[in-house]
Amino acid sequence: MIRLIHSSHSLSRFYMMAVARNWRFLSTDSTKVDEPFKIEEGETVNSPPPPSEKLFVLGGNGFVGSHVCKEALDRGLSVASLSRSGRSSINESWANNVIWHQGNLLSDDSWKEALSGVTSVISCVGGFGSNSYMYKINGTANINAIRAAAKKGVKRFVYISAADFGVVNYLLKGYYEGKRAAETELLTKFPYGGVILRPGFIHGTRRVGSMKIPLGVIGSPLEMVLQYAKPLNQVPLVGPLLTPPVNVTSVAKVAVRAATDPVFPPGIIDVYGILRYSQQKST
């Protein structure tokens, strides 16, 4: 028993001597073999934060545009807007957080400087009038914006277009021809980052001066009924007239998501797609 204890004690001394000897070879300073083993922490590399999203809304003081601005601000985005009148007349707190620019997409080129640093654009520009006027506002103005955004290196461009309404298309020829011309330009200049939303009748509370017109009184019930009647939309002539209305907040929600979500599919999103995306939770 005494021999076993003595043997064990000898092995322990031998082990400690071996460890000390090996540590002397591993150490960069042989005179410091008695210092405790230190673990050096790896250097932390602080990667730069991702660039912030800057959204530029064309026509931000209009019915759809104002809701787009508010939705974008609610999501924490930096928002700027361009319109012919400049600052919005809406007396709500969110409007103070928008950078308002005044400019005309058809004439003055000074508005192009407002695109500097912009990562995505949503165009809500459109209007009614004579056929030539409607083509300019819905077509030419948006085409100018699309080309300027492409040159500035904007990543994504969302265009609020309009659904086909069959016979109505012929009655508003300039309106729809302008819309389709802008769509073609967008798909050419932004094949991977261009999104076209084609809502039908957009309802919600519309401001006309100091008045508020509750379009949802008619639009909401029709939306509830017609969104489940998609097969009827294929009926010749009258089918397109049964396209379900969509709430302006739904359009704004999908537009902002399409402008900021890099995995949002490019291309044309019809009214049923708008309704579907608006019901999904944002990431």
Side-chain angles (χ1 to χ4, degrees):
M1 180 64 71
I2 294 174
R3 184 178 300 174
L4 289 174
I5 294 174
H6 179 73
S7 177
S8 176
H9 181 67
S10 299
L11 288 173
S12 298
R13 290 181 60 190
F14 177 77
Y15 174 76
M16 294 301 295
M17 291 175 62
V19 170
R21 185 176 302 165
N22 288 336
W23 171 243
R24 185 178 292 110
F25 285 120
L26 292 173
S27 175
T28 57
D29 187 350
S30 60
T31 64
K32 297 181 180 180
V33 294
D34 294 329
E35 289 186 0
F37 182 69
K38 295 180 180 180
I39 300 176
E40 296 291 339
E41 293 184 2
E43 182 181 358
T44 301
V45 179
N46 294 322
S47 57
S52 58
E53 293 282 349
K54 183 178 180 182
L55 178 64
F56 197 46
V57 182
L58 304 179
N61 62 355
F63 174 49
V64 177
S66 60
H67 284 80
V68 169
C69 289
K70 186 176 184 302
E71 172 68 22
L73 289 171
D74 289 342
R75 296 191 60 176
L77 301 175
S78 174
V79 181
S81 177
L82 175 78
S83 62
R84 286 178 292 178
S85 59
R87 180 175 174 80
S88 175
S89 59
I90 298 175
N91 294 319
E92 296 182 11
S93 59
W94 64 263
N96 297 324
N97 297 320
V98 177
I99 302 172
W100 299 99
H101 297 275
Q102 185 174 9
N104 190 336
L105 296 176
L106 290 172
S107 57
D108 187 12
D109 286 342
S110 63
W111 57 267
K112 294 180 181 179
E113 293 302 319
L115 286 169
S116 298
V118 169
T119 53
S120 53
V121 174
I122 299 176
S123 178
C124 309
V125 174
F128 295 94
S130 65
N131 279 325
S132 60
Y133 175 80
M134 288 191 291
Y135 188 91
K136 287 181 180 180
I137 294 297
N138 297 282
T140 307
N142 285 293
I143 290 173
N144 290 342
I146 292 166
R147 291 174 178 174
K151 288 183 179 180
K152 285 288 186 178
V154 173
K155 295 185 298 183
R156 299 183 70 83
F157 196 113
V158 179
Y159 176 45
I160 310 296
S161 188
D164 286 318
F165 278 103
V167 178
V168 178
N169 290 24
Y170 296 98
L171 300 178
L172 300 172
K173 185 177 180 180
Y175 179 86
Y176 282 97
E177 286 184 350
K179 291 283 189 184
R180 299 302 174 252
E183 289 182 1
T184 300
E185 186 69 20
L186 179 59
L187 295 177
T188 301
K189 290 291 191 294
F190 289 87
Y192 305 109
V195 179
I196 298 165
L197 302 185
R198 284 185 176 178
F201 172 65
I202 302 176
H203 65 87
T205 301
R206 183 187 292 268
R207 293 174 178 270
V208 179
S210 59
M211 295 178 59
K212 294 183 178 181
I213 303 176
L215 299 177
V217 173
I218 298 175
S220 292
L222 287 176
E223 178 182 341
M224 291 296 296
V225 173
L226 294 179
Q227 66 177 311
Y228 300 110
K230 186 176 181 179
L232 297 177
N233 192 247
Q234 306 302 319
V235 177
L237 297 178
V238 297
L241 298 177
L242 300 177
T243 299
V246 61
N247 192 289
V248 66
T249 57
S250 297
V251 176
K253 181 178 180 180
V254 177
V256 173
R257 179 182 172 186
T260 57
D261 186 353
V263 300
F264 194 96
I268 299 172
I269 308 296
D270 64 13
V271 63
Y272 301 100
I274 295 172
L275 291 171
R276 184 175 66 255
Y277 280 116
S278 67
Q279 294 167 2
Q280 296 177 356
K281 292 183 178 180
S282 301
T283 57

